[in-house]
Amino acid sequence: HRDKKRDKEKVKEKEKTKEKERDRDKEKERNWERDKERERERDKERNRDKDNEKDREREKEWHKDRERDKDNEKEKDREEVDQNKEKDGVTKEREKDRDKIKDKEGDKDKGEKEKDRDKEKEKDEKEKEREKERDDKKKEKRSRTPPRSYSSSRRSRSSSR
């Protein structure tokens, strides 16, 4: 009877031991799972930090690129302005040269115009003189010739026309 009791106790002991063992195993597994989860969380956090850092770097690069682009645009604008200034300068110089040439030509033209006016005056004077001479001749002729009849004067008028 005692043996049976001992055996039962031993079996109970063994079961308790097994139960404890199972509990320990379960606890270990829970701990292991918890550790794994923590590790995953830490990895996620690290990755998030890395991603954020990469994003910051990209953002910096983007800003640098933007600044470079702006600087390039400014430089292009400056160059364009300089070129326009040069063109304007060249154009103004050309205009000045043209004006100088025009002034010189204008001076020549003025001289020529005065000469032309003088020539015109001389021509006009000569023409007036000729007309005067013609008129004088006509008057002389009239004074020398006796008056004509109406019909003959008409003929002479029509023939002169």
Side-chain angles (χ1 to χ4, degrees):
H1 190 67
R2 280 185 189 161
D3 283 345
K4 270 188 171 182
K5 203 172 187 183
R6 263 192 224 133
D7 282 345
K8 270 187 173 178
E9 281 180 11
K10 277 184 179 178
V11 167
K12 274 188 176 181
E13 281 282 321
K14 278 183 180 179
E15 280 182 9
K16 276 185 178 180
T17 311
K18 278 184 180 179
E19 187 68 31
K20 278 183 179 178
E21 189 75 23
R22 266 188 249 126
D23 285 349
R24 258 188 253 124
D25 284 349
K26 280 183 180 177
E27 186 64 29
K28 275 183 179 178
E29 191 154 329
R30 270 188 238 121
N31 285 339
W32 185 82
E33 285 290 324
R34 204 177 307 123
D35 288 347
K36 276 289 179 188
E37 187 61 33
R38 282 181 188 155
E39 187 64 30
R40 272 190 225 112
E41 285 298 317
R42 269 188 242 123
D43 285 349
K44 279 182 183 177
E45 192 64 33
R46 266 188 242 116
N47 287 336
R48 231 178 274 132
D49 289 347
K50 283 179 183 176
D51 288 348
N52 286 339
E53 187 64 30
K54 282 180 183 176
D55 287 347
R56 273 185 239 119
E57 285 298 315
R58 271 192 228 113
E59 191 78 16
K60 281 181 187 176
E61 281 300 312
W62 184 78
H63 283 294
K64 282 181 186 176
D65 288 346
R66 294 272 298 169
E67 285 299 313
R68 266 189 239 118
D69 289 348
K70 283 181 184 176
D71 290 346
N72 287 338
E73 283 297 315
K74 285 180 185 175
E75 187 60 31
K76 283 180 185 175
D77 289 347
R78 277 191 215 113
E79 286 174 7
E80 194 173 316
V81 166
D82 290 347
Q83 285 177 353
N84 287 339
K85 282 182 183 176
E86 282 180 36
K87 284 180 185 174
D88 289 346
V90 169
T91 305
K92 284 180 182 175
E93 282 181 36
R94 284 183 184 155
E95 284 179 16
K96 284 180 185 176
D97 291 346
R98 277 192 214 121
D99 289 344
K100 285 180 185 176
I101 292 170
K102 281 182 183 176
D103 289 346
K104 286 179 184 176
E105 286 177 358
D107 291 345
K108 286 180 185 176
D109 286 349
K110 283 180 188 173
E112 286 177 20
K113 282 180 184 176
E114 284 177 25
K115 287 178 185 176
D116 288 347
R117 278 191 210 124
D118 290 345
K119 285 180 184 177
E120 279 294 317
K121 281 182 184 177
E122 282 180 36
K123 282 181 182 177
D124 286 347
E125 285 175 19
K126 284 181 183 177
E127 190 66 34
K128 281 180 184 175
E129 242 179 82
R130 283 188 199 133
E131 280 184 33
K132 200 175 186 183
E133 284 176 19
R134 269 190 240 128
D135 286 347
D136 287 346
K137 282 181 183 177
K138 282 181 183 177
K139 280 180 186 174
E140 244 179 78
K141 263 189 175 178
R142 276 189 211 141
S143 63
R144 276 192 268 143
T145 57
R148 293 187 188 139
S149 66
Y150 177 76
S151 59
S152 65
S153 67
R154 210 177 205 189
R155 265 186 250 125
S156 66
R157 274 197 218 132
S158 63
S159 63
S160 67
R161 287 182 186 162

